[in-house]
Amino acid sequence: MPTIRENISTWNNPATWDSLDSGDAWSTSWGNPNNQWLRVVLPRIQRYIPAGRILEIAPGFGRWTNYLKDLCNKLIVVDLNELCIQKCKERFSTDTHIDYYVNDGKSLSMVPDGSIDFAFSFDSLVHVEADVMEAYLTQLAKKLKPDGVAWLHHSNVGSYRRLFLDRGNFHVLSYGFTKLFGFQSHFRSWSMTAEGFEAMAQKAGLITISQELINWETKPRYLIDCISVCTPKNSIWAMPNRKLQNRRFMDDANYSNGLYSLYGKPQLKYKSAKA
Ligand SMILES: C[S@@+](CC[C@H](N)C(=O)[O-])C[C@H]1O[C@@H](n2cnc3c(N)ncnc32)[C@H](O)[C@@H]1O
């Protein structure tokens, strides 16, 4: 777990999205999605965009699609859940260069081989297990152009398996982990690690060129997530993997939220008092 079935029951439910302000609530730590895009996502993808054809895996209600759509000639979005694709279609109805697909949680068969310049997924594949990630990587090796790049945010919770013995029921045990060690898995996959990603990518014919291990609202600063960038092994981007352990990922969120409080919110009270 989280299984594909759990990812359907969680994300194909309008109540889930209502309670999360259509996903914008996940950006609260940074102030809003725009701040998170500017401070978190954009600096980490800037080398690869704009790109001719972008593939976004698991867009949800389009929190990042909203920006990716303006960085390419063609955007293909693929999500496991009909509800998410439906919402994206409504939200981006005037953008005629987006193709939408509902998949089975593993397949990219709707994407032509050798067609993708940049594949992207943020804040979604952290919830998929290793078999799903392996399926996506195997197919991405075929879908990417020779110099294409995949930028994928995934779980690294598996690297804590040994620390927090993985026997029994995780839902019960994780309560103990939280109490004793402050450890929260945040519905992350326990079968994924940064090393596992690198091995799967290599098996698929891709080379991993950077991995940033990051904390995510966990105290102490467990590195529960990873952003991995991979490319075909003969691409112009190919180079030995470089790894960064970034335990300050959320510090930037607090700083960013501070800036947003200062510059982002209109001083309505003051304005109306003067008017
Ligand atoms: C937490 S939401 C995040 C959505 C979006 N990336 C964002 O940051 O707002 C997770 C999304 O992943 C999708 N998803 C989960 N498992 C998937 C899979 N195996 N393949 C494709 N989409 C998946 C869900 O349907 C949902 O849209």
Side-chain angles (χ1 to χ4, degrees):
M1 64 97 205
T3 60
I4 289 181
R5 192 185 289 247
E6 281 178 293
N7 271 297
I8 293 174
S9 61
T10 307
W11 308 118
N12 216 30
N13 180 354
T16 306
W17 293 96
D18 284 349
S19 69
L20 292 163
D21 194 14
S22 296
D24 286 5
W26 293 311
S27 295
T28 306
S29 300
W30 287 267
N32 61 14
N34 200 43
N35 271 7
Q36 194 179 1
W37 171 260
L38 292 174
R39 294 191 63 87
V40 176
V41 184
L42 193 56
R44 289 169 169 84
I45 67 169
Q46 60 180 331
R47 295 173 82 181
Y48 311 113
I49 45 100
R53 193 173 280 247
I54 296 181
L55 166 67
E56 184 183 12
I57 302 174
F61 277 22
R63 192 162 50 128
W64 311 123
T65 319
N66 190 34
Y67 302 94
L68 294 171
K69 69 179 174 51
D70 297 329
L71 297 170
C72 58
N73 301 323
K74 170 66 83 182
L75 177 60
I76 300 172
V77 297
V78 179
D79 199 287
L80 168 65
N81 286 301
E82 174 71 40
L83 175 66
C84 300
I85 290 301
Q86 200 47 47
K87 282 289 169 184
C88 282
K89 280 184 181 170
E90 287 166 22
R91 180 171 178 181
F92 307 114
S93 60
T94 55
D95 296 284
T96 52
H97 67 305
I98 307 178
D99 289 346
Y100 304 87
Y101 297 96
V102 179
N103 77 347
D104 59 0
K106 282 187 169 180
S107 174
L108 296 176
S109 60
M110 66 297 286
V111 180
D113 286 356
S115 66
I116 300 299
D117 294 285
F118 185 59
F120 172 97
S121 189
F122 186 58
D123 214 356
S124 285
L125 297 181
V126 288
H127 306 303
V128 306
E129 298 292 349
D131 60 324
V132 171
M133 185 58 78
E134 184 160 27
Y136 279 138
L137 284 170
T138 304
Q139 292 165 91
L140 281 170
K142 299 190 186 83
K143 306 302 172 188
L144 289 176
K145 285 185 181 173
D147 293 328
V149 167
W151 188 100
L152 304 170
H153 175 209
H154 60 88
S155 170
N156 185 47
V157 159
S159 66
Y160 293 97
R161 284 188 89 116
R162 261 186 237 154
L163 191 59
F164 303 117
L165 293 178
D166 60 337
R167 300 188 188 98
N169 182 335
F170 268 121
H171 290 297
V172 175
L173 284 180
S174 64
Y175 178 74
F177 297 160
T178 308
K179 284 276 172 216
L180 287 172
F181 307 105
F183 186 85
Q184 293 180 40
S185 67
H186 283 276
F187 196 46
R188 268 44 180 166
S189 146
W190 282 87
S191 58
M192 274 306 300
T193 61
E195 287 75 20
F197 180 100
E198 194 176 5
M200 287 176 207
Q202 189 178 14
K203 194 172 153 203
L206 298 167
I207 179 169
T208 304
I209 58 174
S210 73
Q211 290 188 300
E212 183 184 6
L213 294 142
I214 55 178
N215 61 318
W216 196 278
E217 294 178 1
T218 49
K219 286 177 187 161
R221 297 159 188 254
Y222 295 111
L223 298 168
I224 66 170
D225 287 4
C226 181
I227 297 169
S228 293
V229 183
C230 60
T231 188
K233 59 183 181 214
N234 294 321
S235 105
I236 52 165
W237 302 104
M239 66 176 84
N241 194 8
R242 298 143 306 139
K243 287 191 185 178
L244 174 69
Q245 296 203 349
N246 181 4
R247 292 182 197 276
R248 297 192 164 277
F249 185 77
M250 292 309 296
D251 292 4
D252 185 63
N254 296 334
Y255 179 64
S256 170
N257 203 3
L259 290 181
Y260 177 65
S261 303
L262 189 63
Y263 295 107
K265 286 179 187 159
Q267 301 290 319
L268 291 175
K269 205 170 158 198
Y270 176 73
K271 216 172 156 188
S272 60
K274 295 273 281 183

